[in-house]
Amino acid sequence: MVRRRRPLSAMLNPWLLVFALVAVGCGDDDDENGTADEIQVPVDGDETIDIGDDELSDEVLDAMEITLQDEYRALEVYAAVIEDFGPVQPFVNIREAEARHAAAIEALYEARDLEVPASDWSPDNVPRYDSVGEACEAGVEGEIENIALYDEALALDLPDDVRDVFEALRRASLDSHLPAFEACATREG
């Protein structure tokens, strides 16, 4: 099955497009055939992942789409919290991290010249909360579910670059996002 790549501009708002272009690199990563041999993408902090260009099985493509949709969902949920309650922490910082996470998975597609799936999520189909505390409690549950999703995906036979991205994103959820939401839920509860 051939999946065609859509332009990033068709899927991303302008600020995220600029970020995604920087994240996946542009320019000098192309070989004489015009394909990227390896792309480095930022995941969190100073951590970068080398992205390869090997073929992906349908099972791996499904796992990539499921995890990408989960990152897109988190982006929209956290944006809705910020819209409803202002620039509250940890939602501001974690939303920025989720944008990097989505860009890292998108880079897996881009490196293979595959169409990046459009987000299934918008402000109209994500939950809204009555308080920051309620949103933080939902954030705890969301990060626990995200970690479980990556655990399931990591049980598959994955190419090294996909495994590296999934492990890095799982680690960020476990070590950074979950504790931040737990602290918020305790503070706001």
Side-chain angles (χ1 to χ4, degrees):
M1 172 169 62
V2 176
R3 297 183 186 200
R4 297 282 176 215
R5 186 173 87 188
R6 289 187 326 174
L8 283 174
S9 60
M11 297 172 287
L12 303 173
N13 62 35
W15 74 267
L16 193 52
L17 175 59
V18 170
F19 175 81
L21 290 174
V22 171
V24 299
C26 38
D28 298 332
D29 291 329
D30 290 349
D31 67 13
E32 63 276 2
N33 297 323
T35 59
D37 287 330
E38 195 171 84
I39 299 171
Q40 283 196 339
V41 296
V43 178
D44 271 332
D46 295 330
E47 183 176 13
T48 60
I49 303 281
D50 291 330
I51 303 296
D53 61 358
D54 45 325
E55 291 288 322
L56 301 174
S57 69
D58 287 343
E59 183 178 52
V60 172
L61 286 168
D62 288 344
M64 286 170 43
E65 184 163 1
I66 290 166
T67 56
L68 181 57
Q69 290 300 330
D70 194 60
E71 300 297 344
Y72 286 154
R73 180 183 184 281
L75 277 167
E76 289 295 340
V77 169
Y78 303 159
V81 171
I82 293 165
E83 181 181 314
D84 293 343
F85 301 106
V88 294
Q89 292 297 343
F91 295 95
V92 171
N93 289 344
I94 295 177
R95 186 185 188 292
E96 291 172 11
E98 299 295 357
R100 288 189 302 274
H101 296 185
I105 298 172
E106 289 167 349
L108 295 169
Y109 286 91
E110 293 287 327
R112 291 163 175 88
D113 200 31
L114 299 172
E115 180 179 344
V116 177
S119 176
D120 293 337
W121 302 97
S122 73
D124 298 327
N125 67 354
V126 295
R128 302 303 266 246
Y129 304 101
D130 293 329
S131 68
V132 173
E134 184 181 314
C136 289
E137 289 172 12
V140 169
E141 291 305 313
E143 293 299 331
I144 290 170
E145 291 169 6
N146 181 263
I147 293 163
L149 187 64
Y150 282 111
D151 286 342
E152 187 176 319
L154 286 163
L156 301 174
D157 182 22
L158 302 170
D160 290 342
D161 61 329
V162 176
R163 180 168 301 283
D164 290 346
V165 168
F166 285 1
E167 286 175 346
L169 300 184
R170 181 193 183 280
R171 190 171 43 253
S173 290
L174 180 64
D175 296 343
S176 298
H177 304 182
L178 180 58
F181 282 127
E182 288 172 334
C184 177
T186 299
R187 180 179 64 248
E188 298 288 333

